[in-house]
Structures are given as structure tokens and as C-alpha cells.
Amino acid sequence: MKTITFKIGGMHCSSCAVQNENSLKKINGVKDAVVNFGMNSATVTYDESRITKNELHEAVVKNGYKVLTEESMEHHKHETVQEMNQTKKRAAFALLLSVPVLILAMFGIILPWSFAGFELGVWIQAVISAFVILVLGWEFHRGMLVQAKRGNAGMDTLVSIGILAALVYSIWAMLSGNQLYFETGALITALILLGRYFEAKSRGQASQAIEKLLELGAKTARIVRDGREFDIPIEEVKVSDILLVKPGEKIPVDGKILKGAASVDESMLTGESMPAGKKTGDEVFAATLNLNGALQIEAVKVGNNTVLAQIINMVAEAQTKKAPIQKLADKISGVFVPIVLAIAAITFVGWWYFGGDITVGIINAVAVLVIACPCALGLATPTAIMVGTGIGARRGILIKNGESFERAKKINVVVFDKTGTLTEGKPRVTDIISVADGYSKDEILALAANIESLSEHPLANAVVQAAKEKQLVLKEVLDFQNLEGKGVRGRIENKDVLLGSMRLLEESGISAKQYEDKIRVLETEAKTVVGLAENKELVGIFAIADTLKSDAEETVATLKKSGVETIMI
């Protein structure tokens, strides 16, 4: 068995998706097929020995739709954007034109002019409504004709018949002197066009989320072959290739460090604001950022096997998979249109035959068609899943599948990761302790910021940012040295300055024993403690930590109030 996913162009509603899905499922050798209207995609599991990929494509093409290749995808994307903009313009124009028709009809306004035996207001309603329904609403009629040729009926069929019935009846009523319903057809056309625009916009936003995740990865890799370095496209990297990653560059693939040591920012993957220290033999992951130190790595996982690719696939899969309630909606919508048409016909005949009034029969039949037109049944669930997974991905929340949405209402415990979820995900200076006479906290901070201003480390950025907030003046640093994973040193006004971990200070012969209790308290509060020394004498201690998000407390309180237990990892 093999599973493939391909894009389908030309689907206008959920019944198009159901039609394609049923056609694929009927093919001998197909185990399962899922067509997602929101993602314009089909995912098919089939037996390669019994059927080819081309035969699957043919089944879709026979239904009157396009199978999009990688070459045609960009063109189709451009067409979709154009179509969305045109739908927006049509909807706005239709709404604008429908307003005078609505005002004339609802308020019974009679204009003092007449033409060919009919009052001018009636002509205005007739002409504008005909233009809105026949010209601006042409996509519905075209969809109905295409489906009718194949012996099918979809949402376009309901819309088209409903608005055409309202127009034809109103023209007949105009000629026979009965109640007009021009505004009904015009307004319904305008509102459904507006709904189509909102739906297309939502689908576009959902797919953008995946595109933004794809942008996280590196586009090229620096490969080392026969002692030479050169850049190649990321797609050409193979397992076991030797790659060089310089400071400030993204790691292109998942790999293992062969040579070098560095601090790597893995926040896009783990949410941890503090960089991870990496040395020879450690694993590194695609799209994480090398902050300092050159790394020579061996490619272990490339292409779709990297952790980033798996995250992207998970988001895409979640938007493709159907929730149980959506599968039920699809089954219903498959027979929904013919049933609605039958009910409309019965309604018309019933009112005409038993009520003796063809006008009431037409009005009620149109009402049945019109109420069914938007088909919330087929659109609401997939649209909710697309928008939900899209917004979630943009905010760092990965939703595995549609079923997760349904089960979410039963949640009674929420487990929070601390870093980047309840906290900002960015380190900030929380405590400054002066331990030497004649040094104020601001002087200690300025001294630390001087030397940290030449470092790219997140902890260094936190110190520099604290100094900037207090508008402290920074001085020139000479003989700057970055001690990987430990700290920094340099000369400021002929004084040796060292800033780094307490272990670095100890290795440099600088004692902090008398402040051990204070340091221990700060560390138990999940703060990173660094020491500042001048000419081999400890002058200050800094505590740096990830601070709480402004809305974290309110979020947890709201959940507790709702009866949801909260736990922090």
C-alpha cells in the first residue's frame, strides 16, 4: 500500500470534495481516499500493484477538475488570489447595488415617473436585480451547468435555482401585478458572494501558516568536500554529508557535531529561551541558530525526515484529516442537494395544489432553496478546523487532528510548559547585587553591559537591554574574548573585566564563597546567576531569568474558574 497526496483545482464547495472522494473510493485498488475542500487536496491510500497514480488523477479530471502539479501550483496560487480579489469586488458591488433595491421594496417607495406602463422604481428593482443575479452571480449558474452536465447537483445548484426562481417569479409578478421579490434574489446573491470571499480568505490564512513554518528552515547549506567549502541548495544535502555552520547561521539539517563547540538557540523547536551548549558528539536540529563558534556537522536526517519537516507535516495533516463530525457532515451533504430539491418541489406542488395559489407555492419553494443555499453543514466544520489549526500554528500551538477539536470540550486538566508558554521566552535581568564598596547597582550594570555589548549570547542581550532601559552610557572595550559556554572577558579603562558563570570565576581564582547562600536562593527561583569581576575581584552578581507573560496569571485564573485544573512542568 502507498499513500500519496495531490492538489485538486476547481473545487467550489464541499459537495465537489464529496464527489471526487466517492469517485476515488470506487476505483479497484483504492483502500481509502480523503478529499479536503479546505486544503484543495486529496490523500489516497492505494495498492501500487493494481493501480497507478495517473489513474487516480484521471478519476478527478473526469469529474471536470484539475490535478495540480508542482509546476502549475504557483500559477494556480496566483489564480486563486486573483479569484479571491474578484469575489471581494463582486460581493462589494452586489451589496452596494442591492441597497437601493432593498430600500425601494421594503419601504414601498413609489417614484413619480413611469416607463412602458411600469413605475420607475419597479424598473430599477428589475434591472439591478437581474444584473446582480445573472452577471455578478454567474459563477453559481456556471457551477450548476457544469454539475448538471455530469448528472450531479451541488451547492451551486441550490444557489442558482433559488436566486433564478426569485428573479423569474418577480418578473412574472411584475407583469401580472403581484407582490415583487426582486430584493430577495439580489440580497441573497450578495450575501453568498460575501460568504465565499470570507471562506476563501480563511482558507488562504490557514495555508499561510504552513508556508511560514517552511520559511523557518535554511535555504542553502555549506558543504565540505575534498577540503573545499561551497554552498548547495538544501534539497541537495544527503545523509552523511559534512557541513560547516558558522556563527549566526541556521543549522540546515538534523545532524551530529563532528568538530567544534557552540551555543545553539533552539527556541523555535523547544521554546527554551536559554541557548543549549553543544559540543562534539551532540545532536543539532534543522532551523536552530548557531550563536557562536564554528561547527562541523554530519547530516543524519535530511528533507522530510528532519524534526522541523515532521512538525510541518503534522500541521498539514491536521488540516487534511477530517473530524468524525465532518465525516458525518460529508455523508449528509452527499445526498443533501437532491433531498432539498425534492422538498422544494413538494413544497411548491403542495401549496399550489392544496392552497390553490401558485404565488404562495413559488415563494415557499424558493424559501426552502434559499435557506439551504449557504450549506453551513458542509462548510462550517472544515473551515473551523482550517482556521483553528492555522491560527494555532502561528501562535506555536500544534493541533494533531480534527478530532482534537471535538475532544477539547471535555478537557479537565491543562498541563503548561513554563518557558515560552507562561513566560516570555526571553531572558531579562531580575536581580543586581553589589558586593564591593563604592559600586552602585547602575555602575555594576554599566560595566557588565560594556563587555556584553560585543556578545551575541541571549544572556548578554538581557544585560545590555537592562542598561539601555536605564539609559546608561557604555564605554569602549579592548581585547574582547568570548569564552564559549562560560562567559566573556576584556579590558575597560585599563581594568581586566570578567563576566560569566560562577564556575568560570572559580576557575579564574575569584572566590564567591561568602555569597553562596544568596546564589543558592536565586538558583532555586530558576534564575541563571552570573558574576562580574574587576581585576580579579568580585564586584557584582546578576540573576537572569525568563519573566512571566502579562496575561499568564489571568489565563491560569480563568481556567481554574472554569473548573479546569492547571499543572506546570
Side-chain angles (χ1 to χ4, degrees):
M1 286 290 172
K2 185 179 181 181
T3 300
I4 62 162
T5 298
F6 57 90
K7 293 283 185 180
I8 300 173
M11 294 196 292
H12 293 290
C13 63
S14 58
S15 59
C16 298
V18 172
Q19 184 189 346
N20 283 317
E21 194 171 289
N22 289 340
S23 297
L24 290 165
K25 282 180 176 176
K26 284 175 187 173
I27 301 170
N28 286 329
V30 171
K31 182 187 176 187
D32 190 34
V34 177
V35 177
N36 188 292
F37 169 53
M39 294 294 292
N40 285 320
S41 67
T43 301
V44 187
T45 303
Y46 65 101
D47 187 342
E48 277 189 288
S49 63
R50 295 171 64 190
I51 188 170
T52 65
K53 187 167 72 172
N54 286 340
E55 286 176 277
L56 299 174
H57 291 176
E58 280 170 22
V60 171
V61 173
K62 277 181 186 173
N63 286 336
Y65 302 96
K66 297 176 190 171
V67 172
L68 303 173
T69 60
E70 279 187 28
E71 292 77 32
S72 62
M73 275 296 292
E74 202 59 43
H75 178 66
H76 177 70
K77 199 185 287 183
H78 179 67
E79 278 185 343
T80 304
V81 171
Q82 278 189 320
E83 191 181 329
M84 189 173 76
N85 290 334
Q86 285 172 358
T87 304
K88 182 183 179 180
K89 287 175 186 173
R90 282 200 299 269
F93 198 29
L95 282 168
L96 200 65
L97 290 174
S98 299
V99 171
V101 177
L102 188 66
I103 291 169
L104 287 169
M106 298 305 286
F107 294 100
I109 296 170
I110 298 172
L111 299 175
W113 303 280
S114 61
F115 178 71
F118 295 103
E119 182 256 323
L120 183 61
V122 172
W123 277 113
I124 291 172
Q125 289 182 60
V127 172
I128 291 178
S129 296
F131 178 78
V132 171
I133 292 166
L134 298 175
V135 179
L136 299 179
W138 171 244
E139 65 178 85
F140 305 126
H141 312 311
R142 183 184 60 200
M144 178 192 70
L145 293 170
V146 169
Q147 287 165 340
K149 279 180 188 175
R150 298 186 220 115
N152 296 317
M155 298 307 148
D156 283 342
T157 309
L158 293 183
V159 177
S160 179
I161 292 174
I163 58 180
L164 284 174
L167 178 64
V168 171
Y169 168 74
S170 295
I171 292 168
W172 174 78
M174 176 180 164
L175 297 171
S176 58
N178 288 314
Q179 176 74 41
L180 305 175
Y181 289 94
F182 284 117
E183 81 285 357
T184 303
L187 203 58
I188 287 166
T189 305
L191 291 173
I192 294 176
L193 280 170
L194 188 66
R196 288 249 169 128
Y197 166 66
F198 285 144
E199 179 205 334
K201 193 177 177 185
S202 298
R203 288 162 64 194
Q205 286 171 344
S207 59
Q208 278 171 19
I210 294 175
E211 285 172 15
K212 282 181 181 175
L213 285 173
L214 286 166
E215 286 168 13
L216 288 173
K219 304 293 179 283
T220 60
R222 186 176 291 104
I223 194 164
V224 180
R225 279 184 191 155
D226 303 322
R228 292 192 307 118
E229 295 174 21
F230 50 93
D231 291 346
I232 61 169
I234 193 71
E235 296 81 15
E236 292 179 18
V237 178
K238 297 183 179 70
V239 173
S240 298
D241 276 347
I242 308 300
L243 307 173
L244 180 65
V245 186
K246 293 181 179 179
E249 292 181 344
K250 283 183 179 178
I251 291 167
V253 296
D254 292 1
K256 187 172 75 174
I257 298 175
L258 298 177
K259 193 193 290 183
S263 294
V264 177
D265 179 0
E266 295 185 329
S267 57
M268 56 70 59
L269 201 63
T270 64
E272 287 295 335
S273 57
M274 302 298 179
K278 299 286 182 178
K279 59 185 186 303
T280 303
D282 287 348
E283 285 184 320
V284 286
F285 303 98
T288 56
L289 186 65
N290 178 12
L291 296 174
N292 51 35
L295 295 176
Q296 197 175 85
I297 67 167
E298 180 188 357
V300 175
K301 290 180 181 175
V302 300
N304 287 329
N305 295 320
T306 66
V307 173
L308 176 65
Q310 286 170 24
I311 290 173
I312 293 166
N313 289 338
M314 192 189 288
V315 177
E317 225 174 88
Q319 293 186 340
T320 305
K321 281 184 178 175
K322 295 183 181 180
I325 197 167
Q326 191 180 342
K327 290 175 185 173
L328 176 65
D330 284 346
K331 282 181 185 175
I332 296 168
S333 64
V335 293
F336 181 70
V337 176
I339 288 173
V340 169
L341 291 172
I343 293 170
I346 293 165
T347 303
F348 169 70
V349 172
W351 279 98
W352 184 20
Y353 184 77
F354 295 107
D357 190 344
I358 192 169
T359 303
V360 177
I362 291 171
I363 291 166
N364 287 315
V366 169
V368 170
L369 293 168
V370 163
I371 286 167
C373 280
C375 190
L377 187 71
L379 292 177
T381 307
T383 303
I385 289 172
M386 282 185 304
V387 176
T389 51
I391 291 172
R394 286 203 300 278
R395 295 185 181 182
I397 302 165
L398 302 181
I399 297 153
K400 267 185 109 174
N401 49 48
E403 192 179 350
S404 301
F405 281 108
E406 286 186 44
R407 296 178 68 183
K409 67 185 177 194
K410 297 175 183 175
I411 288 171
N412 51 27
V413 178
V414 171
V415 182
F416 285 101
D417 175 24
K418 179 179 72 72
T419 311
T421 305
L422 294 174
T423 62
E424 292 287 354
K426 292 176 184 176
R428 291 181 66 86
V429 174
T430 57
D431 303 84
I432 302 172
I433 302 167
S434 174
V435 299
D437 294 335
Y439 284 87
S440 68
K441 287 185 179 182
D442 281 358
E443 285 173 328
I444 291 169
L445 179 58
L447 189 62
N450 275 321
I451 196 159
E452 290 285 42
S453 63
L454 298 176
S455 173
E456 291 296 320
H457 199 283
L459 296 183
N461 292 339
V463 173
V464 173
Q465 186 60 36
K468 280 182 180 175
E469 286 170 8
K470 294 199 170 191
Q471 297 181 333
L472 301 177
V473 179
L474 302 186
K475 296 171 184 174
E476 188 184 7
V477 179
L478 301 172
D479 302 328
F480 175 80
Q481 190 181 357
N482 187 18
L483 308 167
E484 284 176 18
K486 294 179 181 180
V488 290
R489 68 160 31 108
R491 288 182 64 77
I492 301 170
E493 295 181 332
N494 291 321
K495 293 175 183 175
D496 287 321
V497 178
L498 180 68
L499 180 73
S501 65
M502 303 316 291
R503 188 195 297 173
L504 173 66
L505 266 64
E506 193 180 318
E507 288 172 3
S508 304
I510 300 161
S511 176
K513 277 191 177 178
Q514 63 189 104
Y515 306 106
E516 277 181 354
D517 290 342
K518 278 187 180 179
I519 292 167
R520 200 175 294 115
V521 169
L522 292 170
E523 286 178 339
T524 56
E525 292 171 356
K527 295 174 181 177
T528 300
V529 180
V530 293
L532 175 68
E534 187 181 79
N535 289 336
K536 296 245 176 189
E537 183 192 342
L538 185 67
V539 294
I541 294 169
F542 292 88
I544 300 169
D546 193 0
T547 52
L548 206 62
K549 280 184 179 173
S550 58
D551 57 355
E553 193 177 341
E554 185 190 349
T555 301
V556 173
T558 304
L559 285 168
K560 285 182 177 176
K561 198 175 177 183
S562 305
V564 177
E565 186 185 347
T566 57
I567 295 168
M568 184 180 78
I569 298 173

